[in-house]
Amino acid sequence: LASIEHLEDVFEALAASRRPNDRYVIFLDSHGHPGLMEVEQAARYASPRPLEYAKVSDWAESMAPQPTLIVLSACFSGSAVPRLGQDHLIVMTAAAGHRTSSGCSTREQHTWFVRALVSALQASENGPAADSLEAVCRPTLSQVSVEEQDRKLVPSLPQIRVGDAVKEKFDASFPGF
């Protein structure tokens, strides 16, 4: 189950078994509030449990110095960016720290951010799939912005933060990440 305890175990196992050339991609998708995400697991928790971004930061630190991409898809997920300032991290969030994520509702299967991210990762009809993280991240944010503008909505302002140690890798082809 995607429980906080299971995630703790996963990060401990990754930290214990990592190798020098390992790279990590962490994708967390849930509801959010400033400073935390909710973890809903009816089989384990009677009600949603908070996963504070301080805990995500601890997990991310255990991955250092390996390059790590963390994608947070939740309302107010940009509030995690100050906590995730490690040099080995690329952080992408679905919304600014003071904004909700567009498309976050029971009527939608995915937020607009997730849809745009998947679209950027897939091959398009006019050419190959994006070949770098930068070529995935920037169009994702742009697509969300265009859709919000078209619908005259308050912008969610998705965020990207690239740590100093991974700036070169952000523009490199995927094998370079």
Side-chain angles (χ1 to χ4, degrees):
L1 294 174
S3 67
I4 295 170
E5 295 81 11
H6 184 236
L7 286 169
E8 185 78 36
D9 292 343
V10 166
F11 279 97
E12 284 179 22
L14 288 173
S17 65
R18 71 175 176 228
R19 297 167 305 214
N21 292 322
D22 285 348
R23 307 293 187 256
Y24 300 102
V25 176
I26 300 160
F27 185 96
L28 300 174
D29 183 14
S30 189
H31 296 289
H33 304 278
L36 62 90
M37 293 179 85
E38 289 183 356
V39 177
E40 294 184 42
Q41 269 308 341
R44 187 162 188 113
Y45 309 131
S47 61
R49 299 253 326 260
L51 171 57
E52 295 182 5
Y53 290 131
K55 175 50 86 179
V56 176
S57 178
D58 291 345
W59 291 337
E61 188 61 36
S62 73
M63 299 295 96
Q66 275 74 23
T68 303
L69 169 64
I70 298 180
V71 180
L72 301 172
S73 178
C75 293
F76 309 103
S77 52
S79 64
V81 173
R83 289 237 179 233
L84 297 169
Q86 296 96 325
D87 285 343
H88 71 288
L89 297 181
I90 298 169
V91 179
M92 211 174 147
T93 70
H98 62 292
R99 300 286 174 96
T100 58
S101 179
S102 294
C104 183
S105 76
T106 56
R107 296 180 309 246
E108 305 267 355
Q109 183 175 1
H110 298 290
T111 62
W112 297 357
F113 173 79
V114 170
R115 279 189 308 170
L117 179 59
V118 168
S119 176
L121 286 167
Q122 292 176 332
S124 70
E125 293 176 23
N126 299 326
D131 65 353
S132 71
L133 287 176
E134 195 277 335
V136 169
C137 294
R138 302 283 179 215
T140 297
L141 274 57
S142 178
Q143 185 175 335
V144 170
S145 178
V146 166
E147 192 165 352
E148 290 169 339
Q149 288 173 6
D150 288 350
R151 295 184 188 204
K152 297 180 178 22
L153 298 174
V154 174
S156 58
L157 304 174
Q159 307 285 301
I160 298 174
R161 187 220 168 260
V162 181
D164 290 339
V166 290
K167 284 189 189 297
E168 291 175 9
K169 296 179 184 312
F170 187 63
D171 294 324
S173 63
F174 281 123
F177 174 73

